[in-house]
Amino acid sequence: MSTTDPIRAARDEDTALATIMHTLLRKGEPQQALDAFDSLCATGYKPRSSGPHAALMEATAATIEAADESGSIFALARVTRLTRIYDDAISSGIAADSRLLSSLMNSCNRLGEPKQAMDAFLNSRSEVAAPDVHVLRAALYTCLDLRFRRETRGKASAFLRRINSVAKQHSLPLRGVSDLMLRAHVACAPFRPSTSDNNPSTSID
């Protein structure tokens, strides 16, 4: 076997770039993360796996958030920039996976667009990507965000049922998200007011 495996070398490049971008994101430098991606692509580099595009979505969301403190950018324009990155990755031959899907959902949530994050989970993107605990965590955060926004509050309970169904269907482990799952169920539980404020025997379920 040759010591130079082009597929492995390409994946190592992807891992290195994604690592650099995430490091810059943790330092609060999303524009530098975007510049790192663009600079390497200018040399002819093309990602072969989902890592760089996932980091690109997160960096894009962070730069939009920083540049749009007043909320002047229309929601559709904000989300379109993210979905374009996702779609570009797929059209380039990168298989849709949980990393891409969870990054898209997290990025939508970061921009205050949980409805779009929910749509990403429910539409064809959730069918082509095998969901894992990272997708489950992103979905639960989406559910909570839906619940606490007046315009999307009514969608949260049905979405939580869908999350539970997907988790069961794919036998996803809940250990790492049990706290989020509990918070989502509590938040989505129907409010049951007392039938009589003067009835001391009334209990709270």
Side-chain angles (χ1 to χ4, degrees), residues 3-18:
T3 56
T4 304
D5 183 342
I7 295 178
R8 181 173 181 177
R11 288 178 177 168
D12 287 346
E13 268 191 318
D14 290 350
T15 300
L17 175 58

Side-chain angles (χ1 to χ4, degrees), residues 86-137:
Y86 183 100
D87 293 337
D88 285 348
I90 304 305
S91 64
S92 71
I94 295 173
D97 62 10
S98 62
R99 182 161 45 186
L100 277 178
L101 180 57
S102 60
S103 290
L104 175 57
M105 295 174 67
N106 288 331
S107 296
C108 287
N109 285 329
R110 179 167 190 161
L111 295 180
E113 304 297 342
K115 171 64 166 57
Q116 283 71 22
M118 179 183 70
D119 289 344
F121 182 86
L122 295 177
N123 71 12
S124 60
R125 291 181 175 86
S126 65
E127 300 299 330
V128 296
D132 65 4
V133 70
H134 299 292
V135 172
L136 183 60
R137 182 178 292 108

Side-chain angles (χ1 to χ4, degrees), residues 121 136 159-172 181:
F121 182 86
L136 183 60
F159 186 50
L160 181 57
R161 289 193 294 272
R162 181 62 184 272
I163 294 171
N164 288 331
S165 175
V166 170
K168 183 177 181 180
Q169 178 185 353
H170 294 274
S171 301
L172 298 181
M181 184 68 81

Side-chain angles (χ1 to χ4, degrees), residues 50-110:
S50 63
H53 281 93
L56 184 61
M57 281 189 280
E58 294 169 21
T60 299
T63 55
I64 292 174
E65 182 183 45
D68 190 38
E69 293 180 355
S70 64
S72 59
I73 300 177
F74 289 116
L76 180 60
R78 292 150 65 104
V79 174
T80 297
R81 291 176 62 178
L82 300 175
T83 56
R84 186 180 298 126
I85 295 170
Y86 183 100
D87 293 337
D88 285 348
I90 304 305
S91 64
S92 71
I94 295 173
D97 62 10
S98 62
R99 182 161 45 186
L100 277 178
L101 180 57
S102 60
S103 290
L104 175 57
M105 295 174 67
N106 288 331
S107 296
C108 287
N109 285 329
R110 179 167 190 161

